[in-house]
Amino acid sequence: MPDDAAYLLCAEEAAAAFFGAAAAGSSACTGAGGEDDDDGSCCSAGEEVEESAASIAELIGGEADYAPRPDYPDRLRSRSIDPAARAESVAWILKVQEYYGFLPLTAYLAVNYMDRFLSLHRLPQEDGWAMELLAVTCLSLAAKMEEILVPSLLDLQVEGISRYVFEPGAVGRMELLVLTALNWRLRSVTPFTFIDFFAYKVDPGGRHTRCLIARATQVILAAMHDIEFLDHCPSSMAAAAVLCATGETPSLESVSPGAAVRWCIGLAEDAISSCYRLMQQLVIGNVRTRAASTTASAANLCCSDEVLSSHSSSSSSPPPAKRRKRSPPGI
């Protein structure tokens, strides 16, 4: 464990180091009057930037250690592991993340823990309770890793989103199983480890960096639903997401995967290109879905007054309250 802690830099630390060096370079090269400063300061700042790039390259070298087993995507495609159950769990994690305002990193880590566990262990598939228990457990662990304020285990199972209610003792026991399966390696390398660094590479001046990061984050979260992205490492996903965000920013020149591969040692052009194509398809599909949804909503607004009146009168009495299921006995 100490070796892992020494080896890994969290995303915030890597980004802070890089942006600190970049800011130092900017202030060193330009004085208060806009004149060039001495070359020694510029060289020092440049060395700090190179050191940050070296740290990012080292993280790329270790990212495979925090991925599911290599055969996991194929087992999902062959349905030896239920892809629909995984999709439901990912959707649940993202809904709870949005409900509580958790960091995007928290949601990504939860899905990462879940995928790594499923690649190692089979779960009972009847009624879906085991998958939901795993999702609750992984989100609880991720929240403890990243969030300042963590809801109780019961509050984490939000009413109206969760189908089951698991007692804290059941979740606690499952946490130990997950931690043991993952060898207690929770500080995973994720796309968010690299995204700030790559956004700065596209926009060194920093005018659009925040927008690039925000849009790339949206694309990465949307990609978690699709099992095809399990074939791609976090650094490739981060690079591809930043390329997508750059292409949507009119004032920035588009960047090719061939250019992106020069951002850092360890990146692979083929991997970025493949992931980028998938993300472009994902973005186009989401745009079409939103357009169809908007059209359907507009059509619904064209209902006659009689239909609206009839609906109002028929729905005046409240629907019967639904009781949430309890966790199955014996877990």
Side-chain angles (χ1 to χ4, degrees):
M1 293 299 293
D3 292 340
D4 292 337
Y7 169 72
L8 285 178
L9 294 173
C10 70
E12 295 84 357
E13 289 171 343
F18 179 77
F19 283 115
S26 176
S27 61
C29 292
T30 306
E35 297 179 356
D36 291 344
D37 207 335
D38 59 276
D39 293 338
S41 297
C42 292
C43 292
S44 176
E47 290 173 359
E48 291 181 14
V49 173
E50 290 179 4
E51 289 175 2
S52 297
S55 297
I56 294 294
E58 190 173 1
L59 288 166
I60 292 175
E63 61 186 344
D65 296 335
Y66 300 88
R69 284 176 46 173
D71 64 343
Y72 178 63
D74 287 335
R75 289 163 62 195
L76 282 166
R77 295 185 187 103
S78 67
R79 300 184 179 276
S80 63
I81 300 175
D82 187 0
R86 179 194 180 270
E88 289 179 4
S89 295
V90 172
W92 180 88
I93 288 169
L94 289 173
K95 287 177 182 177
V96 177
Q97 178 252 339
E98 182 179 8
Y99 181 88
Y100 281 110
F102 289 160
L103 297 169
L105 175 59
T106 301
Y108 190 94
L109 283 176
V111 175
N112 174 261
Y113 301 161
M114 181 180 72
D115 286 331
R116 288 161 62 191
F117 183 88
L118 289 174
S119 74
L120 298 169
H121 296 281
R122 287 188 176 273
L123 288 178
Q125 296 190 11
E126 61 272 12
D127 298 327
W129 63 264
M131 278 295 295
E132 186 164 320
L133 174 58
L134 178 61
V136 171
T137 299
C138 291
L139 184 56
S140 171
L141 291 171
K144 291 172 184 175
M145 289 293 293
E146 300 299 332
E147 302 297 330
I148 297 174
L149 298 176
V150 180
S152 70
L153 289 174
L154 288 176
D155 288 338
L156 194 64
Q157 302 170 69
V158 179
E159 183 77 38
I161 298 178
S162 305
R163 288 190 297 165
Y164 298 94
V165 180
F166 300 100
E167 299 294 341
V171 179
R173 290 191 293 273
M174 192 66 184
E175 284 183 346
L176 286 176
L177 287 175
V178 172
L179 287 168
T180 301
L182 303 187
N183 199 24
W184 294 75
R185 295 163 69 87
L186 300 187
R187 180 59 69 188
S188 303
V189 177
T190 75
F192 300 105
T193 308
F194 310 103
I195 194 170
D196 291 6
F197 182 87
F198 293 163
Y200 182 85
K201 286 291 187 177
V202 170
D203 182 33
R207 292 184 58 191
H208 306 283
T209 301
R210 294 173 69 90
C211 292
L212 287 173
I213 292 172
R215 179 55 181 153
T217 296
Q218 291 177 340
V219 175
I220 290 168
L221 292 182
M224 292 196 305
H225 293 277
D226 193 336
I227 63 174
E228 297 303 320
F229 287 97
L230 291 169
D231 289 319
H232 297 278
C233 60
S235 59
S236 294
M237 288 189 64
V242 170
L243 292 184
C244 285
T246 303
E248 296 176 5
T249 307
S251 53
L252 289 176
E253 293 185 7
S254 60
V255 180
S256 69
V261 78
R262 295 193 292 271
W263 291 344
C264 187
I265 295 173
L267 294 174
E269 181 177 352
D270 290 344
I272 296 174
S273 296
S274 176
C275 191
Y276 180 47
R277 286 193 296 270
L278 278 176
M279 285 189 173
Q280 286 180 311
Q281 295 171 9
L282 176 71
V283 170
I284 293 172
N286 286 345
V287 169
R288 289 175 177 171
T289 300
R290 285 196 298 269
S293 177
T294 301
T295 302
S297 298
N300 290 336
L301 290 176
C302 296
C303 296
S304 65
D305 292 339
E306 290 81 1
V307 173
L308 290 174
S309 177
S310 173
H311 174 74
S312 176
S313 61
S314 65
S315 61
S316 58
S317 58
K322 294 182 179 180
R323 296 187 61 186
R324 292 164 68 190
K325 299 178 182 178
R326 304 293 294 182
S327 57
I331 66 171

